[in-house]
Amino acid sequence: MTDEKLHQIALTLVPGIGDILIRQLISYCGSAQDVFRSTPVRLQKIPGIGPATAHAVLHTPVRQEAEKTVQKLDRMEARALFYTDEAYPKRLKDLYDAPVMLYAQGTADLNARRTLALVGTRQATDYGRRVTEDIVQGMKPYGVSIISGLDVIYPSVHQKTAQEMLIQGGLLTENRPGIKPDARLFPARNRIIAGLSDMVVVVESAVKSGSLITAEYANNYHREVFAVPGQLNQTFSLGCNKLIRENKARIYPSPDDLITAMNWDQPEQAGRTGKSNASLLSHQFTEEESQVVALLRQQNDLHIDDLSWKSQIPMGRLASLLLNLEFQGIIRALPGKKYQVVYV
């Protein structure tokens, strides 16, 4: 690993600073190494950094622990992904609460074209297992990646499954290797699952469970959410039925309906439109259209609220602009008020 990566890991070990302050530090200083090379006076000019935080950054002995983490990652053939890295998951990069550092193991494409999260109770019924198997089988022809977490597998009975996943998939976490499972870490894990996914399906869930937290995050991130309806008054049906009743999830009918809802059954975009990247570049866009198309090309897709915020185009004008681009075949509307460039 590079010195910069070592310093990035070290920065996450400084007590009292979280993801937001780390982004602030990197934004002002330019790199993790430059953060540690800074002076207290310079650091305190950064919004959110006071004397105590500046002292912690410059004087907490974190390098040795960072070196131990690097050694563990090397032994595990795992890698550390900082939010500025090209390989960092693009679906997470722009989320307001995305982790600045992720640790990944295996061969999974973290920027897979299509992703789906399956969440639910660890005590699944036969019905829940059958539904899950049907969904997984239904996604296979469409190249959909199914989402999971790293290193200390919980519960331990899933160790064998986790090892098998490394062959044609991967494990991902924001926690350094060796961190023990703790209930307070589960909601943070759930936000990563939601953020990595285009769609979340809750199969079985009690009223108070991590699955509902994942669904809540997914709604906040403008992801599609489905819930499998279950028998009334059954413990693991109550959570799913609650999501449906409160309009926080759509009723899951079948794998085919999931595919249709996400437009994953459509032909490849370039073949369907007959257009190419060259014709996109030659198209005569207005300044605002160019801005919107550029934003959409940078992302897998964007919600209209995010587009408005990033482009600073008022919602009323943006809606009209998006409709015009859709008529021209430049973009397409996705479920959940999201938009995507039709060809890239």
Side-chain angles (χ1 to χ4, degrees):
M1 286 191 183
T2 64
D3 282 345
E4 176 62 13
K5 185 63 65 181
L6 179 67
H7 284 83
Q8 289 169 352
I9 294 172
L11 195 55
T12 68
L13 299 174
V14 176
I17 66 169
D19 295 330
I20 293 175
L21 281 184
I22 289 176
R23 286 191 181 88
Q24 285 278 78
L25 288 164
I26 296 294
S27 176
Y28 277 80
C29 297
S31 71
Q33 291 185 75
D34 287 335
V35 171
F36 287 106
R37 291 171 182 153
S38 293
T39 63
V41 172
R42 185 185 178 198
L43 289 183
Q44 289 177 57
K45 291 180 180 178
I46 301 173
I49 307 296
T53 303
H55 183 273
V57 170
L58 298 177
H59 298 289
T60 304
V62 291
R63 184 182 177 93
Q64 186 175 3
E65 187 62 30
E67 289 173 344
K68 289 180 182 178
T69 297
V70 169
Q71 292 167 5
K72 288 180 182 178
L73 291 171
D74 287 342
R75 287 196 299 269
M76 298 165 60
E77 296 184 349
R79 60 196 188 279
L81 300 173
F82 203 54
Y83 77 101
T84 55
D85 293 346
E86 181 65 28
Y88 186 94
K90 291 180 174 60
R91 288 177 176 86
L92 291 180
K93 191 161 283 191
D94 288 333
L95 298 181
Y96 63 91
D97 58 350
V100 295
M101 182 69 79
L102 290 169
Y103 299 96
Q105 188 180 22
T107 61
D109 180 2
L110 301 180
N111 289 302
R113 189 159 60 98
R114 297 165 175 170
T115 57
L116 177 149
L118 283 170
V119 297
T121 176
R122 290 189 296 271
Q123 302 169 14
T125 65
D126 289 340
Y127 168 70
R129 283 191 286 269
R130 285 198 305 272
V131 170
T132 300
E133 290 169 3
D134 286 345
I135 293 173
V136 171
Q137 291 301 318
M139 297 301 112
K140 282 185 177 180
Y142 300 92
V144 180
S145 292
I146 310 292
I147 313 289
S148 204
L150 162 71
D151 183 79
V152 181
I153 307 303
Y154 177 81
S156 58
V157 294
H158 293 159
Q159 282 282 359
K160 184 175 183 293
T161 301
Q163 291 303 315
E164 292 172 352
M165 285 172 57
L166 293 178
I167 300 172
Q168 290 185 318
L171 301 173
L172 187 71
T173 181
E174 65 181 311
N175 302 311
R176 288 177 295 114
I179 298 294
K180 301 298 182 183
D182 187 300
R184 65 185 175 83
L185 300 177
F186 293 166
R189 175 204 60 186
N190 295 338
R191 89 187 191 286
I192 295 176
I193 293 172
L196 284 172
S197 307
D198 296 326
M199 168 173 45
V200 172
V201 181
V202 185
V203 179
E204 289 183 313
S205 174
V207 173
K208 294 183 178 180
S209 73
S211 302
L212 265 63
I213 295 174
T214 305
E216 192 69 34
Y217 276 119
N219 278 299
N220 290 340
Y221 297 155
H222 311 303
R223 303 320 195 226
E224 289 293 320
V225 180
F226 282 83
V228 177
Q231 274 187 294
L232 297 177
N233 301 322
Q234 292 295 319
T235 300
F236 297 126
S237 298
L238 295 178
C240 291
N241 293 346
K242 181 175 185 288
L243 287 172
I244 295 168
R245 184 175 67 251
E246 295 178 354
N247 293 317
K248 293 183 177 180
R250 298 161 66 179
I251 296 177
Y252 164 79
S254 71
D256 287 343
D257 288 286
L258 296 181
I259 296 296
T260 300
M262 298 301 293
N263 288 326
W264 287 343
D265 55 345
Q266 298 299 314
E268 288 297 321
Q269 295 169 5
R272 180 163 56 90
T273 62
K275 297 182 180 179
S276 66
N277 192 48
S279 63
L280 176 62
L281 293 174
S282 64
H283 193 93
Q284 297 300 309
F285 294 118
T286 67
E287 183 178 343
E288 287 185 336
E289 285 176 339
S290 297
Q291 189 178 5
V292 168
V293 171
L295 284 169
L296 290 175
R297 292 187 72 196
Q298 292 169 11
Q299 309 291 322
N300 181 58
D301 52 56
L302 278 174
H303 189 271
I304 190 171
D305 291 345
D306 296 326
L307 265 175
S308 181
W309 177 74
K310 289 175 182 292
S311 67
Q312 293 299 294
I313 299 174
M315 187 64 73
R317 189 158 77 248
L318 178 62
S320 176
L321 186 152
L322 290 169
L323 185 60
N324 183 47
L325 288 172
E326 192 173 0
F327 281 152
Q328 296 178 65
I330 305 298
I331 67 171
R332 64 171 174 166
L334 299 175
K337 296 183 179 180
K338 292 190 287 188
Y339 291 85
Q340 184 179 65
V341 174
V342 171
Y343 49 91
V344 295

